[in-house]
Amino acid sequence: MSHAKAKLSQQHALLIESLRGRGWSDDELLGIAGRGELPKDDGVLELDYEELRAFAAQELDTYAAAVREGYRMKFNTLGGLRCWLYLAFGEEPHLDRRPGLEGISAILTEPQLTKLREALAVGWQVAQVGESLFDGKATYRIEPVAR
């Protein structure tokens, strides 16, 4: 039986993917509420993991389901989605902000494409552009359904 994914803000999704990128396991993510010191993000995004700790403590069931089973973001912005793709997959996607052509191009594997489609907020579409590449990767264009 299929059930709806936990719904998270884009910010909480960024925080989870950032910690996963730092090597945190699901068990470590699930224990964030009781964890002592959290890492400090000195990167460009300057993420504040205290915000995720507070969310995990306040919305334990939603947070646990998101970590264990995946999530769907409630809303995406172009810049936030670019950051999410980078944090989730470790590759810098191409961002296009030209009026009427707003979107993101990213090279993804099938598992990455599946994760993106499951996490992407309603109102966005993903389409393969061009031929498949080596190593099972292809280029995809992610863009808002309506501009």
Side-chain angles (χ1 to χ4, degrees):
M1 180 169 130
S2 166
H3 64 281
K5 296 273 186 191
K7 293 198 177 185
L8 291 185
S9 70
Q10 181 175 268
Q11 181 66 17
H12 291 143
L14 288 170
L15 292 164
I16 288 172
E17 297 306 332
S18 175
L19 289 172
R20 282 187 170 144
R22 291 172 173 260
W24 282 43
S25 68
D26 283 357
D27 287 340
E28 288 173 306
L29 285 166
L30 291 170
I32 194 171
R35 192 176 178 110
E37 191 169 318
L38 295 175
K40 181 170 174 27
D41 183 12
D42 294 325
V44 174
L45 298 178
E46 296 182 358
L47 298 171
D48 180 4
Y49 299 109
E50 289 296 335
E51 182 180 341
L52 188 62
R53 183 197 321 251
F55 175 73
Q58 293 169 354
E59 300 288 338
L60 181 60
D61 292 341
T62 299
Y63 177 74
V67 169
R68 284 192 202 108
E69 301 162 20
Y71 53 84
R72 179 167 300 278
M73 290 178 268
K74 297 176 187 176
F75 183 82
N76 291 121
T77 63
L78 200 57
L81 189 52
R82 183 204 67 80
C83 293
W84 183 88
L85 286 161
Y86 176 75
L87 291 171
F89 306 133
E91 299 287 333
E92 185 69 44
H94 174 73
L95 180 63
D96 188 347
R97 291 190 183 270
R98 291 177 292 171
L101 299 173
E102 298 90 350
I104 301 169
S105 297
I107 298 172
L108 304 171
T109 63
E110 276 297 319
Q112 290 171 334
L113 176 62
T114 298
K115 181 174 179 169
L116 168 63
R117 283 190 166 140
E118 290 176 354
L120 200 58
V122 172
W124 289 80
Q125 59 191 1
V126 181
Q128 183 174 340
V129 292
E131 298 294 317
S132 293
L133 304 171
F134 60 92
D135 296 334
K137 295 181 178 180
T139 301
Y140 295 90
R141 173 105 173 137
I142 305 113
E143 57 189 21
V145 172
R147 290 188 167 82

